[in-house]
Amino acid sequence: MRLVKYLVQTMQYSKARLRTDIKEQIAKIACEKMSADSQLICRRLCCLSAYQKARRILFFLATKQEVCIDTVLVHALANQKEVYVPRCQAAGSMEAVRLYSLEETRIGIYGIRTVSDKRPPLATEALDLIMVPALAFDVKGHRLGHGGGYYDRFLARSGQALCIGVAWDCQVVAQVPIEPWDRGVNGILTPTRFLKITI
């Protein structure tokens, strides 16, 4: 029992330390570079066959520290794809809700953009492609989130949907500490590369 407790505490410390390290590296990226790299990622994302083939896509609505993929979201809407965004609920749950225009977004929990509470959600397994943010990814597709477990619970219900992580280059590391409930991605897109992963 003491060993299990020690291992859990060690894992939590490792995750906390990695979160701190990554946040410090992101803080060093200039706003101009973030904007340029976001547009570069958007252009590369539009060229991915997974995006081109997908009909129902979940996009994340970026915070100031995350890659902004709004350009691809608008492109998807213009090309008659069904666009969905996360809506976070209490107790760490998240659902996919249809978005028809960026103008209808509002600020939700944790200051993240989302849509009205009145709009019904889509069954997670009905999605074709899920764009996934994180604080860090590793080369095997494991991800480290902010600690709330929202995406882990959501991705556990994702069925056959492909999951693509989107990140700055500094967010891809050799190894992320993982636990049994942590969910990974099928690929990682950064400004300089696309890592295709079999999980």
Side-chain angles (χ1 to χ4, degrees):
M1 190 68 176
R2 288 182 179 178
L3 177 59
V4 171
K5 185 176 180 180
Y6 170 76
L7 291 173
V8 170
Q9 289 175 337
T10 301
M11 180 72 73
Q12 290 173 340
Y13 174 72
S14 298
K15 285 187 172 184
R17 183 170 59 185
L18 181 56
R19 285 188 178 103
T20 298
D21 291 345
I22 294 297
K23 286 178 181 179
E24 289 177 353
Q25 291 186 55
I26 293 173
K28 295 177 183 177
I29 305 174
C31 292
E32 293 79 6
K33 181 169 176 55
M34 279 190 170
S35 179
D37 282 353
S38 287
Q39 290 305 309
L40 176 58
I41 286 175
C42 286
R43 290 194 294 271
R44 300 185 69 204
L45 178 53
C46 285
C47 294
L48 291 182
S49 61
Y51 168 76
Q52 294 173 352
K53 294 176 182 178
R55 186 169 67 92
R56 292 174 169 170
I57 307 174
L58 180 86
F59 290 87
F60 62 88
L61 295 171
T63 65
K64 290 182 179 180
Q65 292 75 37
E66 294 173 334
V67 176
C68 181
I69 55 174
D70 285 6
T71 299
V72 187
L73 186 156
V74 172
H75 179 273
L77 288 170
N79 284 272
Q80 286 74 55
K81 294 180 183 289
E82 291 185 21
V83 169
Y84 295 84
V85 295
R87 184 171 63 196
C88 295
Q89 304 291 305
S93 67
M94 189 177 93
E95 52 193 13
V97 186
R98 186 108 184 237
L99 179 74
Y100 295 93
S101 168
L102 280 174
E103 282 67 38
E104 67 181 5
T105 60
R106 63 173 182 80
I107 301 300
I109 191 171
Y110 304 124
I112 300 172
R113 290 176 294 161
T114 188
V115 294
S116 169
D117 290 335
K118 297 180 180 180
R119 189 163 296 170
L122 177 77
T124 307
E125 60 270 19
L127 292 164
D128 302 313
L129 179 63
I130 300 172
M131 311 309 300
V132 184
L135 268 177
F137 295 97
D138 69 20
V139 293
K140 292 184 178 180
H142 302 129
R143 63 178 294 277
L144 176 68
H146 290 270
Y150 286 92
Y151 271 89
D152 290 319
R153 296 182 185 91
F154 184 84
L155 296 179
R157 311 189 306 273
S158 61
Q160 300 300 310
L162 287 175
C163 302
I164 304 296
V166 181
W168 312 116
D169 284 307
C170 67
Q171 291 177 279
V172 181
V173 299
Q175 186 174 6
V176 165
I178 59 170
E179 296 175 82
W181 54 83
D182 290 334
R183 298 288 168 167
V185 295
N186 302 102
I188 305 167
L189 183 64
T190 78
T192 62
R193 57 180 172 163
F194 176 65
L195 297 175
K196 189 174 181 181
I197 299 157
T198 302
I199 58 172

